[in-house]
Amino acid sequence: MTIKDLKNFRNAIHRDLKISPQNEKSSCFIVREEKKESAIQRIEFTFKNQDDVLIIRQEAEKCSAIKNLFETKPNLDSCDFIVLLCKNRNIKICFCEIKSSKSKENQEKALKQINSSKIFLEYLCKCYKEHFDSAFEFSSEMTENIYIYPASNSQKNRTSSLGSNFKFKSIKIDNGKAIIDNGYEFFRD
């Protein structure tokens, strides 16, 4: 996998499935939380190079291909966003869910949302590979589940491994907004 492979994949998928940087010269990507009651309303991620990152967002109201698949459940659950990073010819995929707390109920819901998004991304990659003759692939070994929640009194972003399903990330927020100046560090191993 090269940066060019990731860029080709990004250019091929529909614009409503990806978060674009603020402008062509910027590498700042803004993720917004749809639920008004969420403590985290907006996260700004900055990367040095926008070509080695892709952020996917499954919003059924924007993309008709993922809306109304089933009669009894018109909108499928999905995680808040998916980050694909290419570094040293390796791809890393982070399935990210934003929650206001680390409650057991929220963690169980987040895991279901992430699992649904994994199925979606696998389908998207298989279709891309089939229709564009691409070698683009991913496996579950390349993925991480990221659970993002507000830090109570933290001065810095903290990472802790408090379970086998998630990599927990607390972020400092100010009026519902968080700024991550180094997206690579935030998503590092």
Side-chain angles (χ1 to χ4, degrees):
M1 169 71 64
T2 65
I3 290 173
K4 184 179 180 192
D5 294 328
L6 182 61
K7 189 175 180 180
N8 289 342
F9 179 60
R10 182 183 65 218
N11 291 340
I13 64 174
H14 194 275
R15 69 183 167 273
D16 289 339
L17 285 175
K18 56 192 170 193
I19 295 176
S20 297
Q22 285 287 85
N23 58 54
E24 288 182 26
K25 295 180 182 180
S26 169
S27 293
C28 178
F29 296 80
I30 298 175
V31 175
R32 289 175 173 49
E33 174 59 67
E34 299 302 316
K35 294 181 182 128
K36 302 228 184 288
E37 65 275 3
S38 179
I40 302 171
Q41 289 293 310
R42 171 181 166 139
I43 306 174
E44 296 179 10
F45 292 101
T46 300
F47 296 90
K48 186 177 180 183
N49 180 5
Q50 63 178 277
D51 289 339
D52 59 6
V53 64
L54 168 62
I55 300 179
I56 295 176
R57 178 119 184 174
Q58 294 169 254
E59 293 180 278
E61 53 282 343
K62 286 189 176 180
C63 187
S64 58
I66 60 174
K67 181 168 64 171
N68 297 323
L69 291 175
F70 303 105
E71 289 292 331
T72 58
K73 192 168 178 77
N75 293 327
L76 299 179
D77 296 329
S78 63
C79 65
D80 286 312
F81 59 103
I82 306 166
V83 176
L84 289 82
L85 288 170
C86 187
K87 186 175 181 184
N88 301 329
R89 300 186 65 84
N90 292 315
I91 187 87
K92 180 177 182 179
I93 303 171
C94 300
F95 292 89
C96 305
E97 182 58 31
I98 301 168
K99 295 292 185 195
S100 293
S101 74
K102 285 175 51 179
S103 72
K104 182 179 178 185
E105 180 183 346
N106 280 347
Q107 290 181 44
E108 289 171 357
K109 183 176 180 184
L111 192 56
K112 287 180 182 182
Q113 291 169 296
I114 286 171
N115 287 337
S116 179
S117 289
K118 285 181 179 180
I119 294 166
F120 167 77
L121 184 62
E122 182 178 349
Y123 169 74
L124 183 64
C125 290
K126 284 181 178 180
C127 288
Y128 175 71
K129 184 177 178 179
E130 176 70 23
H131 294 284
F132 292 92
D133 269 343
S134 172
F136 187 86
E137 289 188 47
F138 87 95
S139 70
S140 58
E141 293 85 42
M142 304 173 187
T143 67
E144 283 186 341
N145 301 337
I146 308 288
Y147 188 102
I148 302 169
Y149 64 98
S152 49
N153 292 321
S154 178
Q155 294 292 322
K156 295 174 85 179
N157 294 340
R158 292 181 303 168
T159 304
S160 59
S161 298
L162 300 175
S164 59
N165 294 326
F166 295 110
K167 187 176 211 179
F168 292 95
K169 299 274 191 171
S170 64
I171 57 175
K172 185 178 178 187
I173 56 171
D174 185 14
N175 291 324
K177 178 179 165 183
I179 297 174
I180 309 298
D181 290 326
N182 186 336
Y184 302 106
E185 186 177 309
F186 186 82
F187 293 107
R188 73 181 167 152
D189 292 327

